[in-house]
Amino acid sequence: MIYYDFYAKLQKSIVSAKEKEELFFFYQRKAVPLHPNHPKKYDMPQSLHIAIIGGGAAGFFAAIEAKRNFPHADITIFEKNSKVLAKVEITGGGRCNLTNSFEEISDLKQAYPRGHKLMKRLFKRFDNQHAFDWFEENGVPLVTQEDQCVFPQSQDSHSIIDCLVNTAKRLGVKIQCNHQLTAITELEDERLLLDFKVSKEKGNLSGASSASFQKASSASHPVSGIRQIAFHRVAITTGGHPKQESFKHLSDLGHAIEQPIPSLFTFNIADKAFKNLMGTVVEPVYTSIPGTKLKAEGPLLITHWGMSGPAVLKLSSHAARYLHENNYQIKISVNWVHESNRSLVEENIQGIIIANPQKQLASIRPYNLPSRLWLFLIQKMGYAPEKKWSEMGKKGCNLLIETLTNDLYQVNGKGAFKEEFVTCGGISLSNIDLHTLESKVCPHLFFAGEVLDIDAITGGFNLQAAWTTGYVVGQHIGE
């Protein structure tokens, strides 16, 4: 009766993933007959072998969910490097911005320039709130910042890494480091033969000091050379790649590859005087590319090479292909006062002139702009800081309003945003079953994470895509 009560709860989706996992393992050990109408995907043969290629966020999530849904399956994560979850370790400045509240997102296209339609569909099954609950249920308390970014309460990415690694190990997921996938061959028995290049280096699973990672270091393969293994199911979760050649083993199977290009980066600015303002933060601003509908908003940071901050990173994501096509040589417009209504800005400036006619320009900062930036803008307009507000005149006011709302700079190339380097492009979504994320080209091959043509702006949205797509793959890979 206990099992049947549980099954009734399961049918109503009111049982936690952990309860489900524990109960299925219990009945597996006791050899108790399952309910006659239990879901077919839990009745899998013990010989089912599943490979997860890529030991990142999507890979671990797919492996964990697959093991919970198909406990009889033998599941192995293969990572080409000597440590797993390296990107998770450094994201958010080492604190791991693992998702977002989405409170400020009214349309998923705002967060996902590419793949928003698929994400909207998959969010019905596993969204940001599900991810939030998943980590808290698995022992990681979370906090949401004022900017809606979600972090572990510990403010340490190792809380997330420990959770994923320990959960995978507890469920019996195997982990092999130093295994780089080089080829996939479809066999007559419908299995997939994987060719791995195995390196000599033995490394721990995380590259961190956590004891749980050190204990698991023996999972790496000690012998160099080529290794071939056949699997019933394979999930590719290798993340994005900057070069098209990295997708060769997938294109050889017949998959269409959307050209991979950078989609999250800073801007190099040629103006030396502007770069002297490095360290200045203006919050918030609008950024846009003249002659297009591409725009973004948020804090802007002036650096020693140009511009950074969310207002720039978001714009680089939305404009990734446009920027690539123009060789990263474009004009960028900055609205320093975060006010798109020019008439309101004019009213503000006229109010300053009326109230402070004899004051110097340098002494009154419109919209409380940072002092260094305001002095720079005065000089950029060709005025002396000592000039009085009453001397501006109509022409001077128009120039000031234009400078505050549409200040143009020449972008000469991109800088790398090392913490969250993201590419757009990858496996074309037209080649994927949008419900299961299985390949339409190669049966039993699945995809999750950034290897798909899905990418997002900064703020925890890319990791959310990893959790969502990994979860969906984990629901179907053993069917």
Side-chain angles (χ1 to χ4, degrees):
M1 283 301 296
I2 294 176
Y3 175 74
Y4 291 98
D5 289 342
F6 170 84
Y7 184 73
K9 289 172 66 181
L10 177 64
Q11 293 293 76
K12 296 178 181 178
S13 300
I14 58 175
V15 62
S16 72
K18 193 169 183 179
E19 284 181 298
K20 178 169 46 173
E21 163 204 325
E22 291 175 349
L23 193 78
F24 276 116
F25 276 130
F26 172 79
Y27 279 93
Q28 177 186 350
R29 290 193 303 269
K30 298 297 183 180
V32 177
L34 294 175
H35 189 285
N37 295 323
H38 81 286
K40 184 179 179 180
K41 66 181 180 181
Y42 294 108
D43 188 24
M44 299 306 300
Q46 293 188 19
S47 60
L48 186 73
H49 292 276
I50 298 175
I52 308 293
I53 311 301
F60 267 84
F61 219 70
I64 289 168
E65 288 305 311
K67 191 63 175 177
R68 283 177 167 169
N69 287 310
F70 312 102
H72 293 288
D74 182 89
I75 301 176
T76 304
I77 297 173
F78 292 93
E79 167 58 41
K80 70 175 182 179
N81 298 310
S82 60
K83 60 181 181 180
V84 296
L85 298 165
K87 191 171 180 180
V88 171
E89 185 175 23
I90 63 173
T91 185
R95 296 186 300 135
C96 190
N97 179 192
L98 71 154
T99 187
N100 193 282
S101 73
F102 283 74
E103 287 293 327
E104 298 177 356
I105 302 297
S106 57
D107 184 338
L108 284 185
K109 191 173 184 178
Q110 296 172 262
Y112 297 96
R114 288 151 292 274
H116 60 279
K117 291 182 180 178
L118 175 58
M119 290 304 297
K120 182 178 181 180
R121 178 185 185 128
L122 300 184
F123 263 32
K124 295 176 181 178
R125 300 164 63 186
F126 194 88
D127 64 8
N128 58 298
Q129 188 58 54
H130 290 115
F132 192 105
D133 294 342
W134 191 97
F135 280 99
E136 291 218 317
E137 288 172 5
N138 283 275
V140 185
L142 304 178
V143 294
T144 304
Q145 297 184 161
E146 289 185 8
D147 62 2
Q148 307 308 314
C149 294
V150 177
F151 291 85
Q153 191 177 77
S154 66
Q155 299 295 300
D156 187 346
S157 62
H158 295 110
S159 296
I160 302 300
I161 297 172
D162 282 348
C163 172
L164 294 172
V165 171
N166 290 337
T167 302
K169 286 173 57 183
R170 177 169 53 80
L171 292 174
V173 174
K174 301 171 186 176
I175 304 171
Q176 293 276 342
C177 289
N178 303 312
H179 278 63
Q180 181 176 2
L181 180 66
T182 58
I184 303 175
T185 305
E186 296 180 83
L187 301 177
E188 290 184 2
D189 62 2
E190 297 188 345
R191 290 184 302 163
L192 297 172
L193 181 65
L194 307 184
D195 286 22
F196 292 100
K197 179 181 178 182
V198 184
S199 64
K200 287 183 179 180
E201 180 183 1
K202 292 182 69 175
N204 66 34
L205 293 179
S206 70
S209 59
S210 172
S212 65
F213 302 153
Q214 301 296 339
K215 291 178 182 177
S217 63
S218 61
S220 58
H221 200 270
V223 183
S224 61
I226 300 299
R227 185 182 184 192
Q228 289 187 320
I229 318 173
F231 291 89
H232 299 98
R233 305 285 189 277
V234 175
I236 305 295
T237 62
T238 49
H241 299 284
K243 296 181 180 180
Q244 187 109 4
E245 308 88 78
S246 301
F247 293 91
K248 186 177 185 304
H249 57 287
L250 299 173
S251 61
D252 286 347
L253 291 172
H255 294 97
I257 309 298
E258 300 293 342
Q259 183 184 12
I261 58 173
S263 69
L264 198 62
F265 47 84
T266 59
F267 293 160
N268 295 334
I269 303 296
D271 192 327
K272 291 183 179 179
F274 178 79
K275 290 185 287 188
N276 286 336
L277 300 174
M278 61 181 178
T280 300
V281 178
V282 189
E283 181 179 2
V285 305
Y286 289 122
T287 56
S288 61
I289 298 177
T292 75
K293 294 181 180 181
L294 299 165
K295 58 184 179 180
E297 64 179 306
L300 184 147
L301 169 65
I302 301 174
T303 69
H304 66 275
W305 66 86
M307 295 181 182
S308 185
V312 171
L313 297 171
K314 290 177 185 178
L315 185 64
S316 75
S317 182
H318 285 285
R321 296 211 175 274
Y322 177 87
L323 290 164
H324 178 74
E325 291 166 2
N326 287 274
N327 199 30
Y328 306 99
Q329 305 289 319
I330 55 104
K331 292 278 188 183
I332 181 175
S333 169
V334 181
N335 183 318
W336 295 110
V337 298
H338 196 246
E339 177 53 72
S340 56
N341 189 322
R342 185 184 174 97
S343 297
L344 292 179
V345 179
E346 183 176 0
E347 287 179 16
N348 184 286
I349 298 302
Q350 290 298 331
I352 293 175
I353 294 173
I354 292 171
N356 307 278
Q358 298 305 310
K359 292 287 185 68
Q360 297 179 354
L361 292 181
S363 66
I364 305 293
R365 292 175 288 130
Y367 293 88
N368 200 32
L369 291 173
S371 299
R372 292 169 63 203
L373 175 63
W374 175 231
L375 288 174
F376 167 79
L377 294 178
I378 291 174
Q379 293 169 351
K380 185 179 181 183
M381 291 185 289
Y383 297 137
E386 299 80 18
K387 185 181 181 72
K388 294 180 179 179
W389 278 95
S390 60
E391 299 171 351
M392 287 293 286
K394 185 176 181 180
K395 185 176 181 180
C397 284
N398 286 335
L399 177 59
L400 174 56
I401 294 167
E402 182 69 11
T403 300
L404 293 175
T405 61
N406 186 32
D407 196 18
L408 298 177
Y409 295 89
Q410 177 63 43
V411 174
N412 289 335
K414 61 179 177 63
F417 185 49
K418 296 181 181 178
E419 283 191 351
E420 276 189 77
F421 183 78
V422 173
T423 58
C424 69
I427 300 297
S428 173
L429 300 185
S430 64
N431 287 172
I432 304 299
D433 182 307
L434 302 183
H435 179 69
T436 64
L437 300 186
E438 183 178 7
S439 169
K440 294 178 180 178
V441 177
C442 178
H444 309 316
L445 183 65
F446 294 74
F447 296 94
E450 203 184 327
V451 69
L452 292 164
D453 187 22
I454 301 173
D455 65 283
I457 61 176
T458 184
F461 301 103
N462 280 295
L463 274 180
Q464 179 58 54
W467 312 135
T468 297
T469 54
Y471 174 87
V472 170
V473 166
Q475 297 293 299
H476 298 285
I477 195 167
E479 291 178 334

